[in-house]
Amino acid sequence: MDRRRVVVTGIGVVSPIGCNLQTFWTNLVAGRSGIDRIQGFDPTEYSAQIAAEVRDFPIDDFIPKKDQRRMDRFCHFGIAAAKMAMDDAAFDRDKEDPTRMGTIVGSGIGGLSTLETQHSTLVEKGPGRCSPFMIPQMIVNMASGLIAIEHNLQGPNFCVVSACASAAHSIGEGLRIIQRGECDVIVAGGAEASITGLGIAGFAAMKALSTRNEDPQTASRPFDKERDGFVMGEGAAVLVLEEYEHAKARGAQIYCEIAGFGQTCDAYHMTAPMDAGTGATRAMVAALRDAGRAAESVNYINAHGTSTPLNDKIETRAIKGALGEHARKVAISSTKSMTGHLLGAAAGVESVACAMAIRDGVVPPTINQLVADPECDLDYVPNTARELPVSVALNNSLGFGGHNACLCMTRV
């Protein structure tokens, strides 16, 4: 039986550089950074005092005030992104079967701010003062559940938690469900809101974060020799995945096709990638094989590109391992240089970047490419966006725990 094709027909974004698709994409192509000194709490005592926060988020446009207080911030972001994506997809809901529509919205950490504030309440005021909404606010699957409730999506509903690969796995699983014929539509992506005292303290203790506090907008510098760690971001991105014939029949707009998905595990270390990058290489090879595309067909890679000393040089090796000599002909960018690292939502935002690159024929830059690193010697689209017809794009996501995921996205 022929495998069902899956396309993207709706997109919603809440990010540090824009809380709608057009603003996000305009700022991404312009190379604008969303990184600044943390405003959500006083970071003075922290070694890392910068992050890519979502500011000017019009929450009242998406969630009634009485409901806002019952949800964690990561759910706010996820619900808003999903509403924008569903509006963008423009379904006639009277003609859709809700049992054929599902939701997979992942997160790496979930309700961290709720955990932090409720623990303080427990310690300072006792157990009787803890909120009855604490558990549903905190659990990682709640964004997916609330999105399904709002849009009456009665098909499969679950949450993938695979650290920084969560949204990639969510989109990949959505792809598989539609391909198997279990659903016609899956709302998929990721949401994260971990810029809290506890979140920053934990990553700072690992020495994973940039401490370039005096110059926030140049702190995230993937593939640059002077990179010193990642910058945490927050937000959400949701894509409406739809079976191709179903989308065509209703005259839907189509951004791109999700043509292939590869997933592997390093089985090596809790936080460090394999030195040769072979796990990530295998994920890219698997995604291309799944899509039926040759390595030489790839025009663009949205790299995981965290701006950490280890990731960037090892991901460079992994790309060379997957594409061979063709690696030197491919445009590669890390949009984390502008958005920061959205952890479990990162692959959602970066899938949006790939979809828009395919649609518009322009690839976003890697900003802050200032000092060449001999171990990072590929074309990272330095500092300025590039007009480039993109027919095949790869989106790499690599997570703590050795998780590797790669999405292959193509022009229809």
Side-chain angles (χ1 to χ4, degrees):
M1 185 171 66
D2 290 339
R3 187 167 73 172
R4 286 156 49 105
R5 296 172 65 187
V6 179
V7 294
V8 176
T9 57
I11 293 175
V13 185
V14 176
S15 83
I17 59 171
C19 292
N20 60 70
L21 177 59
Q22 190 54 57
T23 303
F24 164 78
W25 181 237
T26 297
N27 286 333
L28 202 70
V29 170
R32 297 191 180 105
S33 172
I35 299 168
D36 206 340
R37 184 174 175 83
I38 293 170
Q39 293 186 358
F41 63 91
D42 182 1
T44 303
E45 299 299 319
Y46 293 76
S47 59
Q49 300 171 7
I50 56 176
E53 295 172 296
V54 171
R55 299 177 181 173
D56 302 319
F57 172 50
I59 185 171
D60 293 340
D61 292 350
F62 302 102
I63 305 170
K65 286 189 182 299
K66 66 180 180 62
D67 294 331
Q68 294 171 21
R69 297 189 297 271
R70 300 176 179 181
M71 302 174 189
D72 190 86
R73 184 169 166 86
F74 90 102
C75 287
H76 295 166
F77 294 155
I79 288 168
K83 183 174 186 351
M84 286 185 277
M86 289 294 282
D87 287 349
D88 192 35
F91 291 103
D92 182 344
R93 296 309 301 271
D94 292 335
K95 296 181 179 179
E96 299 298 330
D97 179 356
T99 68
R100 300 282 299 171
M101 306 174 80
T103 320
I104 312 171
V105 175
S107 182
I109 298 178
L112 186 61
S113 62
T114 296
L115 174 65
E116 190 172 323
T117 57
Q118 289 296 303
H119 180 262
S120 295
T121 297
L122 173 66
V123 170
E124 295 168 9
K125 300 179 180 179
R129 298 296 298 276
C130 287
S131 170
F133 295 104
M134 174 176 65
I135 298 303
Q137 283 181 313
M138 190 174 67
I139 54 180
V140 189
N141 64 297
M142 193 50 64
S144 198
L146 290 171
I147 290 165
I149 291 167
E150 178 169 353
H151 299 284
N152 190 30
L153 308 176
Q154 298 180 27
N157 184 291
F158 58 95
C159 169
V160 177
V161 181
S162 53
C164 307
S166 298
H169 279 117
S170 298
I171 294 166
E173 287 304 305
L175 169 72
R176 294 287 185 249
I177 288 170
I178 297 173
Q179 284 176 334
R180 292 195 300 264
E182 296 175 30
C183 279
D184 300 315
V185 176
I186 294 287
V187 176
E192 201 77 87
S194 297
I195 303 174
T196 71
L198 193 60
I200 295 293
F203 281 107
M206 295 174 61
K207 308 297 184 186
L209 298 179
S210 172
T211 57
R212 203 180 296 273
N213 300 317
E214 72 286 351
D215 193 6
Q217 297 203 339
T218 69
S220 182
R221 45 179 68 197
F223 306 106
D224 185 88
K225 187 175 183 179
E226 295 184 355
R227 65 192 182 275
D228 71 328
F230 78 84
V231 177
M232 194 184 297
E234 63 180 357
V238 169
L239 286 69
V240 175
L241 310 184
E242 187 170 353
E243 194 272 325
Y244 177 57
E245 296 298 335
H246 185 275
K248 276 208 312 181
R250 68 180 188 87
Q253 68 174 336
I254 294 175
Y255 288 93
C256 66
E257 182 170 356
I258 309 290
F261 175 51
Q263 52 185 328
T264 67
C265 181
D266 287 352
Y268 171 69
H269 189 272
M270 288 173 65
T271 58
M274 301 175 72
D275 193 55
T278 52
T281 290
R282 290 188 296 111
M284 285 182 268
V285 170
L288 286 168
R289 184 188 307 118
D290 189 45
R293 302 285 179 149
E296 292 74 22
S297 69
V298 178
N299 310 105
Y300 173 60
I301 298 175
N302 190 293
H304 189 57
T306 58
S307 184
T308 58
L310 272 182
N311 176 91
D312 297 2
K313 68 179 181 180
I314 292 175
E315 188 175 7
T316 297
R317 293 171 193 166
I319 292 169
K320 292 175 180 177
L323 302 188
E325 286 302 313
H326 184 65
R328 300 194 178 278
K329 302 176 183 177
V330 176
I332 304 165
S333 62
S334 171
T335 46
K336 290 182 178 73
S337 58
M338 294 166 279
T339 67
H341 190 350
L342 275 69
L343 308 181
V349 169
E350 290 152 18
S351 292
V352 172
C354 289
M356 296 300 285
I358 291 168
R359 191 194 75 170
D360 289 357
V362 58
V363 297
T366 306
I367 67 168
N368 304 322
Q369 284 271 286
L370 304 173
V371 182
D373 183 343
E375 293 191 278
C376 300
D377 58 352
L378 298 178
D379 176 7
Y380 306 109
V381 192
N383 302 310
T384 304
R386 183 181 304 165
E387 291 188 5
L388 177 72
V390 178
S391 56
V392 179
L394 297 181
N395 180 10
N396 288 340
S397 300
L398 319 174
F400 284 176
H403 309 296
N404 307 299
C406 181
L407 294 161
C408 180
M409 304 170 70
T410 65
R411 185 183 298 127
V412 176

PDB file of all heavy atoms in Angstrom, residues 77 122 157 236 255 273 279 287 329 343 381 392:
ATOM      1  N   PHE A  77       1.916  29.485  26.300  1.00  0.00           N
ATOM      2  CA  PHE A  77       2.588  29.559  25.003  1.00  0.00           C
ATOM      3  C   PHE A  77       2.049  28.507  24.040  1.00  0.00           C
ATOM      4  O   PHE A  77       1.791  28.792  22.857  1.00  0.00           O
ATOM      5  CB  PHE A  77       4.094  29.364  25.174  1.00  0.00           C
ATOM      6  CG  PHE A  77       4.802  30.452  25.931  1.00  0.00           C
ATOM      7  CD1 PHE A  77       5.998  30.187  26.595  1.00  0.00           C
ATOM      8  CD2 PHE A  77       4.305  31.746  25.980  1.00  0.00           C
ATOM      9  CE1 PHE A  77       6.670  31.179  27.287  1.00  0.00           C
ATOM     10  CE2 PHE A  77       4.967  32.755  26.676  1.00  0.00           C
ATOM     11  CZ  PHE A  77       6.158  32.464  27.327  1.00  0.00           C
ATOM     12  N   LEU A 122       4.878  25.795  49.920  1.00  0.00           N
ATOM     13  CA  LEU A 122       4.912  24.676  50.866  1.00  0.00           C
ATOM     14  C   LEU A 122       5.854  24.961  52.026  1.00  0.00           C
ATOM     15  O   LEU A 122       5.499  24.781  53.204  1.00  0.00           O
ATOM     16  CB  LEU A 122       5.351  23.402  50.137  1.00  0.00           C
ATOM     17  CG  LEU A 122       5.602  22.166  51.007  1.00  0.00           C
ATOM     18  CD1 LEU A 122       4.299  21.681  51.641  1.00  0.00           C
ATOM     19  CD2 LEU A 122       6.241  21.057  50.174  1.00  0.00           C
ATOM     20  N   ASN A 157      -3.667  11.590  21.629  1.00  0.00           N
ATOM     21  CA  ASN A 157      -3.200  12.770  22.357  1.00  0.00           C
ATOM     22  C   ASN A 157      -2.179  12.321  23.379  1.00  0.00           C
ATOM     23  O   ASN A 157      -2.486  11.526  24.273  1.00  0.00           O
ATOM     24  CB  ASN A 157      -4.366  13.476  23.053  1.00  0.00           C
ATOM     25  CG  ASN A 157      -3.912  14.759  23.730  1.00  0.00           C
ATOM     26  OD1 ASN A 157      -3.187  14.729  24.709  1.00  0.00           O
ATOM     27  ND2 ASN A 157      -4.338  15.887  23.200  1.00  0.00           N
ATOM     28  N   ALA A 236       6.893  28.668  22.105  1.00  0.00           N
ATOM     29  CA  ALA A 236       6.222  27.482  21.569  1.00  0.00           C
ATOM     30  C   ALA A 236       6.095  27.613  20.064  1.00  0.00           C
ATOM     31  O   ALA A 236       6.046  28.721  19.521  1.00  0.00           O
ATOM     32  CB  ALA A 236       4.837  27.309  22.186  1.00  0.00           C
ATOM     33  N   TYR A 255       2.538  24.607   3.122  1.00  0.00           N
ATOM     34  CA  TYR A 255       3.866  25.197   3.278  1.00  0.00           C
ATOM     35  C   TYR A 255       4.945  24.270   2.732  1.00  0.00           C
ATOM     36  O   TYR A 255       5.873  24.714   2.052  1.00  0.00           O
ATOM     37  CB  TYR A 255       4.153  25.471   4.752  1.00  0.00           C
ATOM     38  CG  TYR A 255       3.372  26.620   5.347  1.00  0.00           C
ATOM     39  CD1 TYR A 255       2.162  26.405   5.989  1.00  0.00           C
ATOM     40  CD2 TYR A 255       3.857  27.924   5.279  1.00  0.00           C
ATOM     41  CE1 TYR A 255       1.446  27.452   6.549  1.00  0.00           C
ATOM     42  CE2 TYR A 255       3.152  28.987   5.838  1.00  0.00           C
ATOM     43  CZ  TYR A 255       1.945  28.743   6.471  1.00  0.00           C
ATOM     44  OH  TYR A 255       1.241  29.789   7.019  1.00  0.00           O
ATOM     45  N   PRO A 273      27.548  14.595  23.631  1.00  0.00           N
ATOM     46  CA  PRO A 273      27.380  13.791  22.421  1.00  0.00           C
ATOM     47  C   PRO A 273      28.599  12.920  22.165  1.00  0.00           C
ATOM     48  O   PRO A 273      29.690  13.164  22.688  1.00  0.00           O
ATOM     49  CB  PRO A 273      27.230  14.846  21.320  1.00  0.00           C
ATOM     50  CG  PRO A 273      27.995  16.029  21.835  1.00  0.00           C
ATOM     51  CD  PRO A 273      27.845  16.008  23.330  1.00  0.00           C
ATOM     52  N   GLY A 279      25.863   9.127  16.166  1.00  0.00           N
ATOM     53  CA  GLY A 279      24.432   9.010  16.439  1.00  0.00           C
ATOM     54  C   GLY A 279      23.624  10.012  15.630  1.00  0.00           C
ATOM     55  O   GLY A 279      22.598   9.676  15.033  1.00  0.00           O
ATOM     56  N   ALA A 287      16.614   9.811   8.155  1.00  0.00           N
ATOM     57  CA  ALA A 287      15.578  10.729   7.675  1.00  0.00           C
ATOM     58  C   ALA A 287      15.580  10.810   6.152  1.00  0.00           C
ATOM     59  O   ALA A 287      14.516  10.816   5.515  1.00  0.00           O
ATOM     60  CB  ALA A 287      15.787  12.114   8.287  1.00  0.00           C
ATOM     61  N   LYS A 329      28.639  21.944   0.355  1.00  0.00           N
ATOM     62  CA  LYS A 329      27.813  22.690  -0.595  1.00  0.00           C
ATOM     63  C   LYS A 329      26.456  23.086  -0.009  1.00  0.00           C
ATOM     64  O   LYS A 329      25.647  23.702  -0.700  1.00  0.00           O
ATOM     65  CB  LYS A 329      27.596  21.852  -1.855  1.00  0.00           C
ATOM     66  CG  LYS A 329      28.889  21.431  -2.546  1.00  0.00           C
ATOM     67  CD  LYS A 329      28.604  20.518  -3.731  1.00  0.00           C
ATOM     68  CE  LYS A 329      29.896  20.035  -4.370  1.00  0.00           C
ATOM     69  NZ  LYS A 329      29.615  19.092  -5.495  1.00  0.00           N
ATOM     70  N   LEU A 343      14.880  24.625  24.244  1.00  0.00           N
ATOM     71  CA  LEU A 343      14.810  23.298  24.867  1.00  0.00           C
ATOM     72  C   LEU A 343      13.770  22.429  24.146  1.00  0.00           C
ATOM     73  O   LEU A 343      13.893  22.185  22.964  1.00  0.00           O
ATOM     74  CB  LEU A 343      14.518  23.425  26.361  1.00  0.00           C
ATOM     75  CG  LEU A 343      15.449  24.362  27.155  1.00  0.00           C
ATOM     76  CD1 LEU A 343      15.058  24.373  28.632  1.00  0.00           C
ATOM     77  CD2 LEU A 343      16.905  23.983  26.989  1.00  0.00           C
ATOM     78  N   VAL A 381      26.017  30.126   6.755  1.00  0.00           N
ATOM     79  CA  VAL A 381      25.262  31.319   6.349  1.00  0.00           C
ATOM     80  C   VAL A 381      25.553  32.461   7.332  1.00  0.00           C
ATOM     81  O   VAL A 381      24.673  32.916   8.061  1.00  0.00           O
ATOM     82  CB  VAL A 381      23.745  31.035   6.252  1.00  0.00           C
ATOM     83  CG1 VAL A 381      23.018  32.179   5.555  1.00  0.00           C
ATOM     84  CG2 VAL A 381      23.473  29.724   5.518  1.00  0.00           C
ATOM     85  N   VAL A 392      14.903  20.638  -0.358  1.00  0.00           N
ATOM     86  CA  VAL A 392      15.045  19.613   0.684  1.00  0.00           C
ATOM     87  C   VAL A 392      15.798  20.211   1.860  1.00  0.00           C
ATOM     88  O   VAL A 392      16.929  20.695   1.716  1.00  0.00           O
ATOM     89  CB  VAL A 392      15.807  18.369   0.173  1.00  0.00           C
ATOM     90  CG1 VAL A 392      15.952  17.335   1.284  1.00  0.00           C
ATOM     91  CG2 VAL A 392      15.087  17.752  -1.027  1.00  0.00           C
TER      92      VAL A 392
END
